[in-house]
Amino acid sequence: MEAVNVKNLVKIYGKDKTAVDDISFSVNQGEIFGLIGPDGAGKTSIFRVLTTLLLPDGGSATVDGFDVVKDYKQIRSRVGYMPGKFSLYQDLSVEENLNFFATIFNTTIAENYHLIKDIYVQLEPFKNRRAGQLSGGMKQKLALCCALIHKPVVLFLDEPTTGVDPVSRKEFWEILQQLKEQNITIVVSTPYMDEANRCDRIAMIQSGQLLSVDTPANIIKSYPEQLYAIKANNMHALLKILHEYNQVKSSYAFGEFAHISFKEPKFNPDQAVTYLETKGLQDIELIKTEVTIEDCFIKLL
Amino acid sequence: MRTIRFLLQKEFRQIFRNRSILAMVIVMPIMQLLILPLAANYEVKNINIAVIDNDHSSYSQKLITKITSSGYFKLTGYCFSFKQAYRLIETDTADLILEIPHDFERNLIRENEQKLFVAVNAINGTKANLGSVYLLNIIQDFNAEIRLQFIQPVRFNPQPVIDITSSNWYNPMLDYHVFMVPGILAVLVTMVGGFLTALNIVKEKEVGTIEQINVTPIKKYHFILGKLIPFWILGNVVFTLGLLVAWLVYGIVPVGSLFLLYGFIAVYLLAVSGFGLLISTFCESQQQAMFVMFFFIMIFILMGGLFTSIDSMPEWAKTVTKFNLVSYLIEIMRMIILKGSSFKNIVPQLGVIAVFALVFNGWAIFNYKKTS
């Protein structure tokens, strides 16, 4: 059985603001499923429908086999949800927050301690501190603990790593891997393309529409052209010239390089270097590069 | 039951960690009950009076002395023309002008008749009204005195006179504190019960914690009760503090049963907290909730019979006050504390408040949606 099944989901705010436009996907049990897309793509709306906080305007969705509209009661005791904004009680301590959420779900910390143990040991030194006084990374860990304390079947994490430092982000993903081994299905959203590789499968979303659903490896593999990274002394001029160069299929800035692909698969890139030199650019560096999820995303747009 | 217990535990923890709420609950009733009854006083003293004495006789002197020695009036001008006196009114140094005509004494003795002129600055309606009434009383009194001097009292009054003696029941000295204090206490209980509950739920919305609560299997009425009970208790604390202040500072001891008083307050707090909850379900931010509450509380207070009597309002306003929670409480507080009314007397009001409590809380639970 699929942990989450979304069929032709539509959500319209107001009269004509379509946040989710006919999206369908399914999440297998025990996998980490990523919703990748920029801000405003509709990720949070999908999450809120799946966690029964928002009624869909069309289509249907099930979580753990229960319909999000009809069986919302069953879903509420089966899922864990961590909203994008920190939403625990800032004036309660770490321990009190955890205790409170455990009680609301009719369980105790002791009962499911094994699930949160690895995370909670890091929080333990601060267990008497108010949640509002924790650092960003610690807050995320506490929120995760609270979302996990009732042993949910599916865990929904809405942008859990936004605003968290790189080290904490890395730790956070390692924790998710461990949870996956406990057979918890995790649906996670992120605007960071580099985190996509850590998911088993990803859905790429843009303006409420689904661009592609597959494993990160497959998505990268399906990129049709050879990709090059190029650099020159004047990046601004380089990008402009590449844009007008008729051999180039696509070109865009990518970090300190520009990524380009050519129309002809047999095209010799040295020709491009010569061409650019005639246009007055110097220190040109052109190398083959690996395709990343971000390249795939840009291509799909 | 266990859920509610934990919700309450959490709520009280938060309240006790929030210093401003504690200060509100403890300091506000004490401060307001100490200050407001002293300031909100209907008794008009220090009415500034300007006198134009065109007579300069011993009688006119006598009249002026009588007026100033009454304690209500302060002579701020002794003028020679109406124009001069009128300027005093314009510059706000006088509220009243009394003009004593020429030959005041002579005409009074010879013709047994004289006219006085009184002009009143009516910008401050209450002051003007009461001032002129006081003044007329004093002049009448003066009139009676000189009558006694001239006319030998005959066995029977030549003119039949009805002399009126009144006595003020339940508040014999017409002490304003006695009926202001219960009224102000009523307003305080309303503020604490209504505002705190309204702001509390909206705060959870604003901070986003309600999102986290909504995905839990917690029941709607559990959540609402978890919010209602703490502020119901705080309301009772405020009320108790207020009663203590009324007793210690103003010596007001409820004539009626304390038990009955708390019984009514218990139901009333449910109604007013329910009202706060209802508003909070409509509002998205504390700012919104604050303004909506202010709107209603202002109407509740101004139309609650604390400052102006409901009986003297026009019909439509009386209808509006039927939906004013505060007016019922002010009425009942005065009834039980001053008059010693029994359970039988307050049944109608108690019934109305109970219906309000049911409607507001039911509506709040209905309107609180975990799914949007």
Side-chain angles (χ1 to χ4, degrees):
Chain A
M1 192 180 60
E2 289 138 339
V4 177
N5 194 352
V6 177
K7 230 188 249 159
N8 307 101
L9 193 69
V10 177
K11 178 70 207 177
I12 301 164
Y13 291 111
K15 275 203 177 125
D16 49 359
K17 274 197 193 129
T18 310
V20 180
D21 190 2
D22 198 16
I23 281 185
S24 305
F25 64 85
S26 62
V27 180
N28 299 324
Q29 215 149 33
E31 74 175 346
I32 300 183
F33 188 87
L35 286 177
I36 318 285
D39 292 342
K43 303 186 298 283
T44 302
S45 297
I46 295 174
F47 269 109
R48 288 173 55 89
V49 168
L50 292 178
T51 49
T52 75
L53 288 174
L54 199 64
L55 290 171
D57 292 315
S60 64
T62 60
V63 175
D64 197 30
F66 294 103
D67 187 89
V68 290
V69 180
K70 275 196 311 232
D71 310 317
Y72 64 93
K73 278 188 181 150
Q74 277 88 337
I75 292 178
R76 280 179 187 158
S77 52
R78 259 159 241 260
V79 302
Y81 175 46
M82 186 174 145
K85 195 176 146 202
F86 181 72
S87 47
L88 300 178
Y89 292 99
Q90 312 241 8
D91 43 1
L92 293 184
S93 73
V94 169
E95 204 180 15
E96 284 162 356
N97 263 304
L98 198 55
N99 225 328
F100 176 70
F101 283 100
T103 317
I104 282 189
F105 281 101
N106 264 318
T107 179
T108 56
I109 296 182
E111 208 170 305
N112 293 314
Y113 188 70
H114 63 279
L115 273 177
I116 59 162
K117 199 180 128 212
D118 293 332
I119 320 166
Y120 195 65
V121 284
Q122 301 177 45
L123 284 167
E124 199 116 48
F126 313 107
K127 69 178 185 186
N128 290 322
R129 198 185 281 188
R130 307 264 163 95
Q133 287 155 0
L134 291 173
S135 68
M138 283 296 175
K139 275 183 185 167
Q140 294 304 79
K141 281 172 194 155
L142 174 61
L144 186 60
C145 281
C146 289
L148 274 173
I149 194 64
H150 59 288
K151 200 173 193 302
V153 183
V154 187
L155 190 59
F156 291 97
L157 309 171
D158 192 5
E159 301 201 7
T161 54
T162 302
V164 176
D165 69 85
V167 179
S168 299
R169 268 168 67 184
K170 195 164 158 279
E171 272 178 24
F172 199 85
W173 279 97
E174 278 156 15
I175 292 167
L176 294 191
Q177 285 297 336
Q178 287 164 17
L179 290 174
K180 186 195 155 190
E181 279 151 30
Q182 306 250 22
N183 203 27
I184 292 176
T185 310
I186 300 169
V187 182
V188 58
S189 76
T190 176
Y192 302 120
M193 304 289 167
D194 54 320
E195 290 182 340
N197 291 317
R198 293 181 163 271
C199 303
D200 295 324
R201 287 196 308 140
I202 54 173
M204 294 202 267
I205 306 173
Q206 159 78 12
S207 328
Q209 279 168 337
L210 201 61
L211 302 176
S212 154
V213 186
D214 212 332
T215 62
N218 278 346
I219 285 178
I220 288 169
K221 231 192 283 168
S222 66
Y223 197 86
E225 294 97 18
Q226 173 61 48
L227 198 66
Y228 295 91
I230 186 165
K231 198 164 99 171
N233 60 339
N234 185 345
M235 286 304 284
H236 184 69
L238 173 71
L239 282 167
K240 213 175 146 204
I241 294 163
L242 285 173
H243 223 75
E244 287 154 2
Y245 189 25
N246 59 4
Q247 292 293 337
V248 169
K249 188 168 185 194
S250 68
S251 65
Y252 43 85
F254 198 95
E256 56 172 336
F257 285 89
H259 277 186
I260 56 169
S261 57
F262 298 103
K263 284 178 185 162
E264 293 294 323
K266 299 264 161 50
F267 185 77
N268 184 356
D270 291 341
Q271 277 182 25
V273 178
T274 333
Y275 171 79
L276 291 172
E277 271 164 353
T278 63
K279 290 277 175 185
L281 289 165
Q282 286 159 358
D283 308 328
I284 299 170
E285 206 180 307
L286 185 87
I287 43 169
K288 282 187 179 182
T289 186
E290 294 282 313
V291 176
T292 67
I293 293 289
E294 193 165 344
D295 294 303
C296 301
F297 196 88
I298 291 168
K299 182 154 187 77
L300 286 168
L301 289 182
Chain B
M1 229 28 237
R2 206 171 84 103
T3 318
I4 288 207
R5 216 181 64 222
F6 267 87
L7 278 171
L8 290 182
Q9 194 188 34
K10 170 218 134 205
E11 213 59 58
F12 272 110
R13 272 205 185 113
Q14 289 184 299
I15 289 169
F16 282 114
R17 283 178 195 171
N18 190 336
R19 297 242 167 116
S20 58
I21 287 193
L22 279 189
M24 273 268 278
V25 168
I26 294 168
V27 178
M28 192 176 83
I30 296 176
M31 288 293 278
Q32 299 210 348
L33 277 175
L34 286 183
I35 295 168
L36 283 183
L38 296 177
N41 193 332
Y42 288 125
E43 213 163 353
V44 178
K45 280 188 178 143
N46 304 324
I47 302 165
N48 298 317
I49 188 168
V51 176
I52 311 157
D53 188 358
N54 295 322
D55 196 40
H56 299 287
S57 61
S58 62
Y59 267 62
S60 69
Q61 281 306 320
K62 227 185 216 166
L63 178 61
I64 294 168
T65 323
K66 193 167 170 59
I67 290 168
T68 49
S69 62
S70 68
Y72 292 109
F73 295 95
K74 217 165 80 188
L75 192 66
T76 51
Y78 191 77
C79 313
F80 298 99
S81 69
F82 187 78
K83 223 173 158 188
Q84 205 183 352
Y86 188 69
R87 191 154 306 130
L88 288 181
I89 287 218
E90 280 181 328
T91 55
D92 230 10
T93 36
D95 303 309
L96 276 173
I97 302 176
L98 173 70
E99 189 169 5
I100 302 169
H102 267 299
D103 306 327
F104 173 69
E105 187 177 305
R106 206 181 59 196
N107 288 348
L108 197 62
I109 296 170
R110 226 189 257 164
E111 293 165 28
N112 279 337
E113 196 181 302
Q114 189 45 278
K115 286 197 168 90
L116 286 169
F117 173 71
V118 175
V120 184
N121 174 10
I123 285 183
N124 182 341
T126 326
K127 206 173 178 184
N129 225 337
L130 283 170
S132 63
V133 171
Y134 290 161
L135 191 60
L136 290 184
N137 267 331
I138 291 171
I139 294 171
Q140 248 171 38
D141 222 32
F142 179 71
N143 193 6
E145 268 173 42
I146 39 181
R147 260 238 247 21
L148 269 177
Q149 277 179 9
F150 290 110
I151 308 160
Q152 281 304 312
V154 284
R155 205 181 150 78
F156 296 104
N157 229 339
Q159 291 168 319
V161 170
I162 299 178
D163 197 11
I164 300 169
T165 314
S166 63
S167 88
N168 300 306
W169 276 79
Y170 310 120
N171 186 3
M173 306 303 285
L174 248 189
D175 184 350
Y176 290 97
H177 301 149
V178 171
F179 78 87
M180 281 309 276
V181 169
I184 289 170
L185 189 51
V187 172
L188 279 174
V189 169
T190 311
M191 298 267 281
V192 170
F195 263 97
L196 289 185
T197 30
L199 291 183
N200 190 281
I201 286 201
V202 180
K203 189 182 163 203
E204 293 228 13
K205 278 191 192 176
E206 227 175 52
V207 182
T209 45
I210 207 157
E211 196 92 312
Q212 200 72 263
I213 293 282
N214 285 349
V215 287
T216 65
I218 199 168
K219 299 250 179 0
K220 280 208 280 188
Y221 70 89
H222 277 160
F223 184 70
I224 294 276
L225 275 180
K227 293 289 175 196
L228 199 63
I229 296 171
F231 295 107
W232 183 86
I233 293 174
L234 280 191
N236 274 306
V237 171
V238 167
F239 182 65
T240 308
L241 277 175
L243 277 187
L244 285 176
V245 172
W247 171 51
L248 293 174
V249 179
Y250 300 101
I252 299 170
V253 183
V255 182
S257 140
L258 260 183
F259 181 72
L260 192 61
L261 202 53
Y262 273 97
F264 188 82
I265 284 289
V267 182
Y268 179 80
L269 276 171
L270 280 183
V272 79
S273 308
F275 182 68
L277 284 177
L278 181 61
I279 283 182
S280 74
T281 60
F282 284 107
C283 296
E284 289 305 320
S285 71
Q286 294 193 63
Q287 216 171 29
Q288 276 178 18
M290 195 80 180
F291 269 107
V292 176
M293 273 312 270
F294 256 124
F295 171 77
F296 282 108
I297 293 275
M298 283 290 272
I299 293 177
F300 280 178
I301 292 176
L302 291 178
M303 295 186 75
L306 180 60
F307 298 111
T308 47
S309 166
I310 291 176
D311 297 318
S312 60
M313 289 178 189
E315 277 311 312
W316 61 266
K318 278 187 201 166
T319 317
V320 173
T321 60
K322 292 246 181 358
F323 298 94
N324 183 350
L325 293 174
V326 181
S327 74
Y328 290 97
L329 183 62
I330 292 177
E331 192 186 350
I332 292 297
M333 293 266 273
R334 286 178 178 163
M335 274 170 80
I336 298 179
I337 295 182
L338 304 184
K339 200 173 164 186
S341 301
S342 66
F343 178 71
K344 243 192 228 156
N345 304 113
I346 67 160
V347 163
Q349 287 91 338
L350 191 64
V352 172
I353 291 295
V355 170
F356 272 125
L358 277 177
V359 170
F360 285 144
N361 286 301
W363 193 355
I365 293 177
F366 174 76
N367 206 43
Y368 163 54
K369 295 218 163 58
K370 287 176 79 175
T371 311
S372 55

